[in-house]
Amino acid sequence: EQNINLLFIDSPLGTGYNFAPNSSYIYNDQTTADDTLNALIYFFNSKFPSYKDKKVFLAGEGYAGKYIPDLVLRISAFNSLADFKINLNGILVGNGIMDFSEGSLEKSQV
């Protein structure tokens, strides 16, 4: 028998089913990546350390074509400096935005 664990993080802060404690919170791609990395660090290092060695796969759709690679860079930088490593094994991006040139983001929403 195998167990699979899922952790859903709705981002950026203040969208979807999560809330921002401060209504004036400003988010962008960088703060979203930083907030998500901090959530993962808290999850694995403080809240559920027994999951530290589990394989991590990141998945998202649409704008995840932007924020998943941003998060991967942050995880990589964190792993090079931290006492423990986030065991990142892969990513999945479905129907992801990959190009912002010539108005492609606006065209993808039409």
Side-chain angles (χ1 to χ4, degrees), residues 6-63:
L6 295 173
L7 171 64
F8 291 90
I9 299 178
D10 206 0
S11 66
L13 185 65
T15 63
Y17 290 105
N18 67 49
F19 63 93
N22 179 346
S23 62
S24 64
Y25 179 80
I26 305 229
Y27 61 86
N28 55 39
D29 294 339
Q30 289 73 38
T31 60
T32 298
D34 291 339
D35 290 345
T36 307
L37 174 61
N38 288 331
L40 290 172
I41 292 168
Y42 177 75
F43 181 85
F44 288 116
N45 202 37
S46 299
K47 194 71 174 170
F48 297 100
S50 62
Y51 289 98
K52 274 186 187 178
D53 296 326
K54 300 290 185 185
K55 292 180 181 178
V56 174
F57 297 88
L58 302 175
E61 58 83 29
Y63 202 71

Side-chain angles (χ1 to χ4, degrees), residues 30-100:
Q30 289 73 38
T31 60
T32 298
D34 291 339
D35 290 345
T36 307
L37 174 61
N38 288 331
L40 290 172
I41 292 168
Y42 177 75
F43 181 85
F44 288 116
N45 202 37
S46 299
K47 194 71 174 170
F48 297 100
S50 62
Y51 289 98
K52 274 186 187 178
D53 296 326
K54 300 290 185 185
K55 292 180 181 178
V56 174
F57 297 88
L58 302 175
E61 58 83 29
Y63 202 71
K66 172 66 172 116
Y67 68 76
I68 293 286
D70 289 349
L71 180 56
V72 168
L73 288 174
R74 299 252 183 344
I75 290 172
S76 178
F78 171 80
N79 283 350
S80 69
L81 301 172
D83 291 338
F84 87 96
K85 311 287 185 237
I86 295 174
N87 191 8
L88 182 62
N89 276 256
I91 66 170
L92 168 72
V93 176
N95 195 30
I97 183 73
M98 304 300 279
D99 180 15
F100 294 91

